[in-house]
């Protein structure tokens, strides 16, 4: 993000009580932590994204373990399974996932999970299985896309579901049906910025302030007012991340 763009996004997000900004590799983890140290309402997550799993090494593991215990870091991840961009690193993705799960468990932090397949739903099916086998104490299915098996596993194990811009896309009726089935105390909203901007901003760069449009759609789906849903998701984020 260009500096002036980043400044504008920060300005627009000043009304937020708390933002969790996400690390995905050693450089991004440091950038996330620097933002969290500079702004009292921003917190960081540090992790190794499944598409970067090939970077996994003993040095990187030590670096993650070091960063994750910083008091401004409130989650581990994004971790997960991505067979859309990097199906060839499946073994490394599992190693990175298991490592981050153990780290999150040891530090009593939630684990943020990214799950994406190219065709079919192999990553989603495998993640549902992995969750049932490993039972992380606190986890977030981030940018949840509505997969029924993952929904079932997440509900069964008491996970949080991060809803992003696609909740507002016209064709995503199945995702909206899934979101309606998620209990109120498991709902989170997120941007996935700069990706997945909500309607009516599709095609533009996403930024934190646009999360309001996803929140509005979520409120409507649960038959609540915007402010009530804002209060609920604030409370959930606080319970999940300990802001
Ligand atoms: Zn992701």
């Amino acid at each position: 993000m260009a500096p002036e763009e980043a400044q504008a996004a920060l300005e627009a997000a000043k009304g937020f009580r708390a933002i969790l900004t996400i690390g995905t590799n050693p450089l991004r983890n440091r950038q996330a932590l620097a933002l969290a140290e500079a702004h009292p309402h921003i917190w960081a997550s540090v992790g190794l994204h499944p598409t970067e799993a090939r970077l996994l090494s003993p040095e990187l593991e030590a670096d993650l373990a070091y960063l994750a215990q910083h008091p401004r870091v409130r989650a581990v991840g994004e971790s997960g399974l991505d067979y859309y961009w990097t199906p060839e690193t499946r073994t490394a993705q599992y190693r990175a996932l298991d490592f981050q799960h153990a780290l999150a468990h040891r530090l009593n932090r939630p684990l943020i999970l990214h799950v994406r397949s190219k065709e079919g739903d192999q990553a989603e099916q495998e993640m549902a299985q992995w969750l049932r086998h490993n039972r992380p104490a606190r986890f977030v299915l981030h940018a949840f896309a509505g997969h029924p098996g993952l929904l079932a596993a997440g509900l069964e194990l008491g996970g949080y579901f991060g809803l992003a811009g696609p909740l507002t896309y016209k064709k995503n009726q199945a995702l909206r049906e899934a979101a309606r089935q998620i209990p109120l105390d498991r709902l989170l909203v997120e941007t996935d910025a700069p990706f997945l901007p909500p309607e009516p901003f599709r095609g533009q760069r996403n930024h934190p302030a646009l999360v309001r449009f996803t929140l509005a759609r979520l409120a409507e789906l649960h038959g609540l007012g915007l402010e009530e849903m804002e209060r609920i998701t604030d409370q959930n984020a606080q319970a999940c991340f300990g802001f």
Side-chain angles (χ1 to χ4, degrees):
M1 199 181 282
E4 61 279 8
E5 247 185 306
Q7 202 47 49
L10 278 169
E11 282 302 317
K14 272 202 172 140
F16 287 72
R17 265 206 235 133
I19 293 176
L20 186 77
T21 190
I22 309 294
T24 52
N25 62 36
L27 174 65
R28 298 275 181 185
N29 289 337
R30 279 183 170 66
Q31 290 173 333
L33 189 49
L35 274 173
E37 285 183 312
H39 305 273
H41 67 304
I42 299 181
W43 306 82
S45 176
V46 297
L48 183 65
H49 195 275
T51 57
E52 312 251 23
R54 61 166 63 81
L55 297 176
L56 193 70
S57 68
E59 293 72 25
L60 190 144
E61 290 185 4
D63 184 53
L64 272 181
Y66 171 75
L67 293 176
Q69 47 184 330
H70 191 288
R72 300 295 299 173
V73 171
R74 289 306 167 93
V76 175
E78 285 181 40
S79 184
L81 298 173
D82 191 310
Y83 300 159
Y84 185 89
W85 296 110
T86 49
E88 73 285 358
T89 64
R90 181 172 179 273
T91 308
Q93 293 187 39
Y94 269 98
R95 273 210 307 273
L97 174 59
D98 290 334
F99 173 78
Q100 289 173 91
H101 166 49
L103 180 62
H105 181 78
R106 181 158 64 77
L107 299 174
N108 188 25
R109 294 276 183 248
L111 181 64
I112 298 179
L113 296 167
H114 162 112
V115 192
R116 195 172 179 196
S117 300
K118 184 148 203 158
E119 279 147 15
D121 60 351
Q122 198 189 338
E124 287 80 359
Q125 285 195 36
E126 288 186 19
M127 182 54 78
Q129 219 169 22
W130 184 92
L131 283 170
R132 288 200 171 94
H133 185 75
N134 291 279
R135 312 183 76 83
R138 250 182 312 156
F139 65 92
V140 180
L141 290 166
H142 119 81
F144 180 63
H147 185 270
L150 208 48
L151 175 67
L155 292 178
E156 185 186 313
L157 298 166
Y160 290 91
F161 293 81
L163 282 319
L167 191 71
T168 66
Y169 301 172
K170 198 165 178 234
K171 67 169 170 65
N172 283 351
Q173 197 48 39
L175 171 56
R176 285 187 285 276
E177 290 303 326
R180 230 188 294 240
Q181 294 176 49
I182 301 170
L184 292 176
D185 67 350
R186 299 288 115 179
L187 293 169
L188 296 172
V189 285
E190 59 168 287
T191 58
D192 203 39
F195 310 111
L196 305 180
E199 290 289 5
F201 301 95
R202 283 189 85 174
Q204 297 175 39
R205 189 184 187 101
N206 201 359
H207 64 84
L210 299 186
V211 80
R212 197 156 200 85
F213 293 82
T214 304
L215 184 71
R217 198 75 175 90
L218 189 62
E220 197 182 302
L221 286 171
H222 279 267
L224 298 173
L226 178 79
E227 280 171 16
E228 178 65 359
M229 188 53 92
E230 184 176 5
R231 192 186 62 73
I232 288 167
T233 52
D234 274 3
Q235 212 167 56
N236 295 345
Q238 186 150 9
C240 182
F241 303 114
F243 292 142

